[in-house]
């Protein structure tokens, strides 16, 4: 079975990772004999030729996950299928676990995007959104889509431990859209320096895990500001961003003692591998996810004037209750996996494509 898998592949590690989660789920619960052809939603523009190529070479168009519902170009969103071409897609179309990703202060998506989503919903075998409040945001605009767990929860594997001696903590920064995320460099770097000094003083190694190029710039600035202390390092973004290194990157999240993260998939992927997370909130979706899934509430706004003190307090709370917190993650994950498997098996049954053993 040949499947075009369309998702965000524009040099963001979190997006690469959730692509792994989508394929894990569909291989296990939809059809065990899928051959995926990977397509970047940023560069793929559907015109007549693209639709003809899709219809002649693929058995299904699978879109997702990721925060694709974002009005980054006025009246267009990241999936660029014009209304007039939607009826010409003859293969089953599944849009799976995508997110409503408007940042604070951006307002709602354009009415033309809403209309395009409605038309796609009518044509799709299934159109679902991820479990981070996206459904509720779209309901406000009159669009009712089913909700599924973010596929980033399902990226676990038998990953070898990265070459780091002793316990280590990941710090994952976000350094784009600063006007919407609610922080300034000087204040954030000061708090992070305090956090790093505390962790290093307790004997932990620290690994910075930039997901995009701009994250790496901020992380390098943190290291320089602290005088390049022993035990504080960063993974090599130019290495980790390659497809063949995605699982290598996930191994850091799997084997970390804890994650202190700003991006959504630094919150989701480690939780799916039972690694406790402290979320530095900077987007609506971060807190909505915690509330909806009843995850442990280790959350602080990134612009909080007591950021470092609160993170250190949460760090010690997690250590004091480490196994019970991992058990809580495990209980949540079991429910999320059951929900996902039932949803995808139902899609397979509807489409008649389920040839699982």
């Amino acid at each position: 079975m040949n499947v075009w898998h369309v998702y965000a592949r524009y040099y963001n590690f979190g997006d690469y990772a959730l692509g792994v989660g989508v394929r894990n789920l569909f291989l296990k619960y939809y059809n065990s004999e899928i051959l995926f052809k990977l397509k970047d939603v940023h560069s793929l523009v559907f015109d007549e030729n693209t639709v003809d190529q899709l219809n002649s070479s693929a058995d299904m168009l699978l879109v997702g996950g990721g925060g694709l519902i974002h009005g980054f170009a006025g009246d267009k969103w990241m999936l660029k299928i014009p209304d007039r071409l939607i009826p010409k897609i003859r293969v089953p179309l599944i849009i799976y676990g995508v997110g409503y990703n408007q940042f604070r202060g951006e307002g709602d998506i354009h009415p033309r995007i809403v209309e395009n989503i409605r038309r796609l919903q009518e044509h799709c075998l299934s159109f679902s959104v991820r479990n981070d409040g996206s459904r509720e945001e779209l309901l406000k605009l009159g669009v009712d889509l089913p909700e599924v767990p973010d596929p980033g929860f399902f990226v676990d594997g038998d990953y070898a431990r990265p070459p780091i001696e002793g316990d280590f903590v990941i710090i994952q920064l976000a350094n784009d859209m600063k006007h919407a995320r609610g922080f300034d460099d000087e204040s954030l770097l000061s708090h992070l320096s305090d956090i790093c000094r505390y962790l290093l003083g307790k004997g932990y190694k620290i690994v910075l895990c930039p997901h995009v190029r701009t994250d790496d710039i901020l992380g390098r600035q943190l290291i320089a500001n602290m005088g390049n202390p022993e035990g504080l390092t960063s993974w090599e973004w130019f290495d980790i961003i390659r497809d063949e290194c995605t699982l290598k990157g996930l191994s850091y999240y799997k084997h970390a003692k804890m994650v202190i993260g700003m991006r959504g998939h630094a919150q989701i992927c480690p939780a799916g591998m039972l690694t406790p997370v402290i979320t530095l909130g900077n987007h609506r979706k971060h807190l909505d996810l915690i509330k909806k899934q009843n995850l442990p509430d280790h959350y602080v706004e990134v612009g909080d004037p007591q950021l470092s003190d609160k993170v250190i307090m949460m760090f010690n709370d997690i250590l004091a209750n480490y196994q019970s917190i991992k058990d809580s993650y495990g209980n949540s994950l079991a429910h999320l996996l059951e929900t996902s498997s039932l949803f995808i098996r139902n899609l397979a049954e509807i489409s008649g494509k389920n040839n699982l053993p």
Side-chain angles (χ1 to χ4, degrees):
M1 181 179 185
N2 295 309
V3 173
W4 280 22
H5 182 196
V6 178
Y7 63 112
R9 294 176 46 77
Y10 195 68
Y11 307 116
N12 181 329
F13 174 79
D15 289 330
Y16 285 52
L18 69 86
V20 172
V22 171
R23 294 190 291 276
N24 284 347
L25 289 169
F26 274 78
L27 282 169
K28 188 169 185 179
Y29 300 116
Y30 189 90
N31 188 316
S32 60
E33 298 178 355
I34 295 177
L35 295 176
F36 291 102
K37 186 169 186 179
L38 308 185
K39 303 278 188 177
D40 178 26
V41 73
H42 294 89
S43 59
L44 183 64
V45 178
F46 282 84
D47 56 20
E48 286 82 356
N49 290 334
T50 305
V51 172
D52 287 345
Q53 183 183 6
L54 169 70
N55 289 332
S56 63
S57 67
D59 301 302
M60 184 171 77
L61 174 58
L62 174 62
V63 179
L68 305 188
I69 304 176
H70 184 202
F72 71 101
D75 62 353
K76 295 180 176 59
W77 61 300
M78 293 179 73
L79 181 62
K80 297 176 283 292
I81 305 179
D83 293 348
R84 62 185 177 81
L85 292 181
I86 293 172
K88 296 186 178 182
I89 296 175
R90 297 195 302 270
V91 299
L93 169 57
I94 296 175
I95 301 176
Y96 185 80
V98 297
Y100 184 86
N101 206 33
Q102 294 295 96
F103 282 78
R104 294 166 176 170
E106 287 190 319
D108 292 327
I109 54 175
H110 195 282
R112 289 180 186 170
I113 298 176
V114 176
E115 179 60 25
N116 184 248
I117 289 172
R118 285 199 183 100
R119 295 191 182 203
L120 284 165
Q121 182 185 18
E122 292 173 357
H123 187 78
C124 282
L125 177 66
S126 175
F127 191 145
S128 60
V129 292
R130 64 191 184 189
N131 58 338
D132 64 350
S134 291
R135 183 171 188 268
E136 289 79 1
E137 293 299 315
L138 287 166
L139 277 172
K140 296 175 186 176
L141 303 176
V143 179
D144 188 2
L145 298 172
E147 178 183 85
V148 297
D150 190 301
F153 281 109
F154 309 109
V155 296
D156 200 2
D158 187 20
Y159 306 137
R161 180 183 170 88
I164 302 170
E165 293 185 7
D167 288 338
F168 67 96
V169 175
I170 284 175
I171 295 180
Q172 195 289 311
L173 306 177
N175 192 35
D176 57 353
M177 299 289 293
K178 291 182 186 181
H179 63 284
R181 294 189 187 274
F183 73 92
D184 64 86
D185 287 4
E186 182 178 358
S187 177
L188 179 59
L189 289 171
S190 175
H191 283 295
L192 290 171
S193 296
D194 290 343
I195 293 166
C196 288
R197 278 190 286 268
Y198 179 83
L199 296 176
L200 293 171
K202 291 293 184 180
Y204 292 95
K205 305 288 178 55
I206 302 170
V207 181
L208 306 181
C209 292
H211 284 196
V212 306
R213 180 70 182 94
T214 54
D215 301 351
D216 192 39
I217 294 170
L218 186 62
R220 300 292 177 182
Q221 188 176 348
L222 172 64
I223 293 173
N225 286 3
M226 294 189 66
N228 196 23
E230 184 177 354
L232 173 59
T233 60
S234 176
W235 72 16
E236 292 296 331
W237 178 81
F238 284 103
D239 173 60
I240 218 75
I241 200 62
R242 300 199 304 265
D243 276 317
E244 61 268 27
C245 292
T246 301
L247 303 187
K248 175 182 174 181
L250 288 171
S251 75
Y252 282 82
Y253 282 112
K254 180 180 179 69
H255 292 284
K257 186 72 174 180
M258 202 177 304
V259 173
I260 302 168
M262 288 180 65
R263 290 193 178 274
H265 285 100
Q267 178 187 32
I268 293 166
C269 294
M273 295 184 278
L274 309 187
T275 301
V277 179
I278 298 172
T279 300
L280 307 185
N282 57 88
H283 192 291
R284 168 205 55 79
K285 62 187 178 184
H286 297 145
L287 190 55
D288 283 356
L289 178 75
I290 290 172
K291 290 178 177 178
K292 286 180 69 68
Q293 302 312 312
N294 197 29
L295 295 171
D297 186 14
H298 296 107
Y299 175 96
V300 57
E301 284 286 330
V302 71
D304 192 303
Q306 296 180 300
L307 179 69
S308 53
D309 290 339
K310 290 183 178 180
V311 168
I312 290 169
M313 180 180 66
M314 291 177 190
F315 179 84
N316 287 316
D317 177 69
I318 291 173
L319 288 183
N321 301 280
Y322 199 74
Q323 190 55 51
S324 64
I325 289 171
K326 287 174 71 73
D327 291 344
S328 176
Y329 277 49
N331 292 335
S332 295
L333 186 64
H335 171 70
L336 295 174
L337 182 58
E338 180 182 14
T339 301
S340 300
S341 64
L342 288 173
F343 190 92
I344 296 174
R345 285 184 184 277
N346 183 58
L347 292 181
E349 184 176 340
I350 292 171
S351 65
K353 296 295 184 182
N354 191 341
N355 65 344
L356 296 172

